[in-house]
Amino acid sequence: MTGHILNLSNIEYRWPGRAPFTLTVPALTVFKGETVLLLGESGSGKSTLLSLICGTIQPDQGILNVAGKNITHLSSGARDRFRAERIGVIFQQFNLLPFGSVMDNILLPLRFAPERRIRAGDAATEAKSLCAALGLPDDIIHAKANALSVGQQQRVAVARALIGQPPLIIADEPTSALDATSQSAFLDLLFSQTRAHETSLLMVSHDRRLGERFDRVIRMEEIAAVEREA
Ligand code: ADP
Ligand code: MG
């Protein structure tokens, strides 16, 4: 493990609204190849922090270094391209294209990421081998996403995040809908892939029992301060 995949300093972000929410993160570092679980209560700003790291929102103050690049002042289009190239994102609801096939869904991030597409090589073959590695049956590749079970959707979401080997995977409560056994199986799959490629993983949860599986556990209240104005 050398160097960092994530380095945030003096971050401040404020959601406007009737009860404005301000998130402050003085410092956060994640090392290359490290798996980190970020724990915190609902409403503590976990998803907001992930959105800052993914570049879907931009901090009001501070510096964000992600996967070797200072993304703080990039335009929104440049941040979108950067995310597609360098970050595999797994959302809580998986966000699959319901009418797209499994193949369409897995290949989606490559459309906006020419370098990642090159790393994926023969992308269709890569998609199939990821499916196999994740225990999905061969014939599922042409099925529509909305015909899949929840467990299958999850695996497709993982394959989509992993294709083209982005150096960083960000996962926002991907196991919250699962029972304990399925949670554990999900983490087995995810870790088997991240360990094989020295991929860094930052995963959010409010379930502290998952902590022992990760290299490091960070609590939201240790790294961040929040302020709510009434
Ligand atoms: P967590 O993921 O830890 O549950 P969030 O980051 O989703 O927390 O939300 C933290 C707070 O940020 C919320 O209580 C809300 O006030 C505010 N917030 C989150 N998303 C938005 C949004 N899209 N617009 C305005 N405020 C938001
Ligand atoms: Mg959240």
Side-chain angles (χ1 to χ4, degrees):
M1 259 184 235
T2 49
H4 56 67
I5 191 80
L6 217 53
N7 190 253
L8 281 58
S9 57
N10 300 317
I11 296 298
E12 195 172 313
Y13 180 78
R14 182 175 182 272
W15 284 114
R18 274 198 298 145
F21 175 91
T22 305
L23 176 70
T24 310
V25 181
L28 173 64
T29 301
V30 173
F31 296 96
K32 282 185 183 150
E34 197 180 21
T35 59
V36 174
L37 182 68
L38 178 61
L39 293 173
E41 299 296 309
S42 181
S44 61
K46 304 182 297 297
S47 295
T48 302
L49 178 56
L50 294 189
S51 298
L52 285 160
I53 291 168
C54 291
T56 45
I57 55 176
Q58 207 168 18
D60 301 319
Q61 290 199 44
I63 305 285
L64 277 163
N65 275 293
V66 182
K69 197 175 178 97
N70 180 348
I71 64 162
T72 319
H73 303 294
L74 295 181
S75 69
S76 121
R79 283 182 280 129
D80 288 346
R81 288 191 293 279
F82 181 77
R83 176 172 56 254
E85 289 285 7
R86 310 291 287 168
I87 307 179
V89 186
I90 306 171
F91 300 94
Q92 187 165 6
Q93 308 298 335
F94 311 129
N95 293 15
L96 300 180
L97 302 171
F99 302 109
S101 68
V102 167
M103 181 69 91
D104 295 338
N105 272 283
I106 296 174
L107 298 184
L108 188 68
L110 305 181
R111 266 207 240 170
F112 313 104
E115 291 166 24
R116 187 167 164 188
R117 191 162 61 219
I118 291 165
R119 280 199 306 277
D122 175 352
T125 303
E126 174 70 9
K128 286 179 194 159
S129 72
L130 277 166
C131 285
L134 294 168
L136 287 163
D138 288 347
D139 56 1
I140 213 168
I141 200 85
H142 300 297
K144 295 271 183 281
N146 63 6
L148 305 179
S149 73
V150 174
Q152 290 170 334
Q153 288 177 42
Q154 253 176 4
R155 288 155 198 240
V156 173
V158 172
R160 183 175 64 180
L162 292 169
I163 195 158
Q165 293 178 25
L168 175 63
I169 304 289
I170 296 284
D172 195 353
E173 307 212 34
T175 65
S176 59
L178 303 182
D179 60 51
T181 312
S182 320
Q183 275 193 6
S184 180
F186 174 84
L187 289 180
D188 288 342
L189 290 170
L190 190 55
F191 284 142
S192 71
Q193 296 296 310
T194 55
R195 295 251 146 84
H197 302 292
E198 259 223 310
T199 313
S200 310
L201 170 68
L202 177 61
M203 183 176 133
V204 154
S205 178
H206 54 249
D207 187 350
R208 61 193 165 80
R209 288 169 305 180
L210 302 179
E212 62 193 27
R213 313 265 328 247
F214 288 75
D215 294 332
R216 186 155 57 110
V217 176
I218 299 175
R219 298 181 166 281
M220 205 56 194
E221 62 266 29
E222 289 165 359
I223 60 153
V226 300
E227 201 178 308
R228 283 185 186 81
E229 297 149 50

